Amino acid sequence: MQSLNPDPKAQYTSIYGALKKIVRTEGFWRPLRGVNMMMMGAGPAHALYFACYENVKRTLNAVFHHQGNSHLANGIAGSMATLLHDAVMNPAEVVKQRMQMYNSPHRSALSCIRTVWRTEGLGAFYRSYTTQLTMNIPFQSIHFITYEFLQEQVNPHRGYNPQSHIISGGLAGALAAAATTPLDVCKTLLNTQENMALSLANISGRLSGMANAFRMVYQLNGLPGYFKGIQARVVYQVPSTAISWSVYEFFKYFLTKRKLENRTPY
């Protein structure tokens, strides 16, 4: 849906219509292409992400002498965590998006990695890294600040409360996703190097740089181009962030509880 100049056979107007057409014309498993790369990257990326966030948040709250949560500390901690998270996830995103493009020549993650490495070099896996950071730093800042704020409202004692974690996580993800969609469109363009769009814009070679991506999106689609796929992005992020926070908070509660029980003398 974010494609600037899609193949006539891959033009979608709604999430349901896109999913239905993809399954009908390309097969039942087509929407899951690239899931193995995301699973490989998500584990280490999220481990670094939450570990960095918790440590930086705790340190900054102590520095600011803030009782409870400082929104500034949460925002800075989220930004720092993003640097580590995206360093791991950016190559996985490149492979996933190239495999997911309509009529993609790549049939497996390994063949995609080999082809990109051979034809474009290592830099291709990080071509959109600065754009990814430019998108994800505001995304994660909004995400973490909103999540912590909502937790203060619905779960002021900050105990383990699955319902509050799911609601806060989902709403935080939705707001952050909607606000950063223009940057995500540019990131997708840099990751996929969409051939038909590059030809239409008379660009030879490779497109690089967020400023160039912003100009090209506006040149081809105007202001509406920056919001291509916004519904799909929000619908994706709500369950994603809700699941992520609820699972994380569960294991934090479970492991902390076990640690305390092991310390308690019988």
Side-chain angles (χ1 to χ4, degrees):
M1 291 180 76
Q2 286 184 338
S3 179
L4 297 180
N5 188 37
D7 187 290
K9 296 176 183 176
Q11 290 182 338
Y12 314 116
T13 55
S14 69
I15 300 169
Y16 175 72
L19 186 61
K20 186 178 176 182
K21 191 172 182 180
I22 290 167
V23 170
R24 189 178 69 245
T25 60
E26 301 178 66
F28 181 78
W29 297 108
R30 185 63 170 87
L32 291 177
R33 182 175 286 183
V35 69
N36 53 345
M37 278 306 299
M38 297 309 291
M39 289 175 70
M40 286 171 61
H46 278 74
L48 289 168
Y49 172 72
F50 281 115
C52 178
Y53 174 70
E54 290 285 0
N55 278 286
V56 174
K57 181 179 76 168
R58 187 166 54 246
T59 302
L60 290 179
N61 273 315
V63 170
F64 297 156
H65 303 292
H66 198 280
Q67 299 299 318
N69 273 308
S70 160
H71 294 311
L72 178 60
N74 296 336
I76 295 172
S79 301
M80 296 297 292
T82 301
L83 293 172
L84 297 177
H85 173 273
D86 286 4
V88 176
M89 283 303 293
N90 205 85
E93 278 276 343
V94 171
V95 175
K96 180 206 74 170
Q97 289 190 321
R98 293 201 182 206
M99 290 178 70
Q100 287 181 344
M101 288 295 288
Y102 177 76
N103 218 15
S104 170
H106 309 294
R107 290 290 170 262
S108 71
L110 191 59
S111 72
C112 181
I113 292 168
R114 284 173 177 163
T115 303
V116 173
W117 184 289
R118 187 176 65 251
T119 59
E120 300 176 51
L122 178 64
F125 295 104
Y126 284 94
R127 187 178 285 124
S128 66
Y129 182 56
T130 51
T131 304
Q132 181 105 333
L133 288 176
T134 307
M135 177 188 76
N136 278 348
I137 285 176
F139 174 91
Q140 298 299 359
S141 296
I142 295 168
H143 175 203
F144 280 113
I145 289 170
T146 305
Y147 177 80
E148 297 286 359
F149 171 76
L150 290 172
Q151 280 292 288
E152 288 174 1
Q153 306 308 308
V154 300
N155 186 19
H157 301 297
R158 303 309 297 265
Y160 174 61
N161 184 330
Q163 188 176 2
S164 78
H165 301 318
I166 291 170
I167 293 169
S168 299
L171 290 175
L175 179 63
T180 56
T181 296
L183 293 164
D184 191 49
V185 171
C186 294
K187 181 207 74 174
T188 299
L189 177 60
L190 290 170
N191 274 347
T192 59
Q193 296 293 309
E194 195 183 331
N195 291 326
M196 291 177 72
L198 293 179
S199 299
L200 199 63
N202 296 318
I203 293 175
S204 57
R206 304 289 170 189
L207 181 71
S208 62
M210 188 184 67
N212 291 329
F214 258 97
R215 276 193 290 270
M216 183 170 164
V217 171
Y218 186 78
Q219 179 186 341
L220 295 180
N221 290 122
L223 286 176
Y226 294 118
F227 295 93
K228 275 179 168 282
I230 187 170
Q231 302 102 317
R233 181 163 159 75
V234 171
V235 167
Y236 153 70
Q237 284 292 350
V238 169
S240 175
T241 48
I243 291 168
S244 182
W245 275 111
S246 58
V247 172
Y248 172 69
E249 294 282 8
F250 167 75
F251 278 102
K252 189 165 90 168
Y253 164 76
F254 177 74
L255 295 171
T256 305
K257 185 182 176 185
R258 287 198 61 174
K259 194 173 180 181
L260 289 171
E261 285 174 351
N262 291 335
R263 285 180 181 175
T264 306
Y266 290 101

